Amino acid sequence: MTRKIKLTRANKSILLKALGDYYYRQRAMNTGWRETGYLILKVDSLSASKKAAFTSEEVCLARNAVNQLRNKKIKQGQYTDATDDMLLKLF
């Protein structure tokens, strides 16, 4: 099943940042990094402000990555408005 999600420039940027952090963490543990790498390439190739189709697996992966970035920002005392907005789009 696919879901259409409209990505703004800010959403795309946050998603790429979150997926990048998630990818490097997975590479260090040598688990599941290929799927994350493919999703990074897919998101990077999308144009902002257009709807993009994501599989349920991709949405789950993106949700986990953005949530980890949000937790990191909370721990560092940073604002989470952009990550919160992206998470809402993934639910």
Side-chain angles (χ1 to χ4, degrees), residues 8 10-11 13-15 66 69-70 73 79-89:
T8 64
N11 292 142
S13 176
I14 285 293
L15 185 53
V66 173
L69 178 62
R70 182 179 184 273
K73 286 179 174 277
Y79 290 107
T80 61
D81 297 350
T83 52
D84 292 342
D85 183 49
M86 190 61 224
L87 270 178
L88 287 173
K89 289 185 178 218

Side-chain angles (χ1 to χ4, degrees), residues 21-68:
D21 289 351
Y22 199 70
Y23 173 81
Y24 287 115
R25 191 172 300 116
Q26 286 180 316
R27 281 295 299 255
M29 296 186 310
N30 200 23
T31 58
W33 54 270
R34 283 186 178 88
E35 293 82 11
T36 307
Y38 292 134
L39 185 54
I40 289 170
L41 293 174
K42 178 179 179 176
V43 171
D44 189 47
S45 70
L46 299 172
S47 57
S49 300
K50 289 194 175 178
K51 286 192 175 189
F54 293 95
T55 65
S56 55
E57 292 84 13
E58 290 172 335
V59 170
C60 184
L61 178 62
R63 189 182 310 134
N64 289 337
V66 173
N67 196 40
Q68 281 191 5

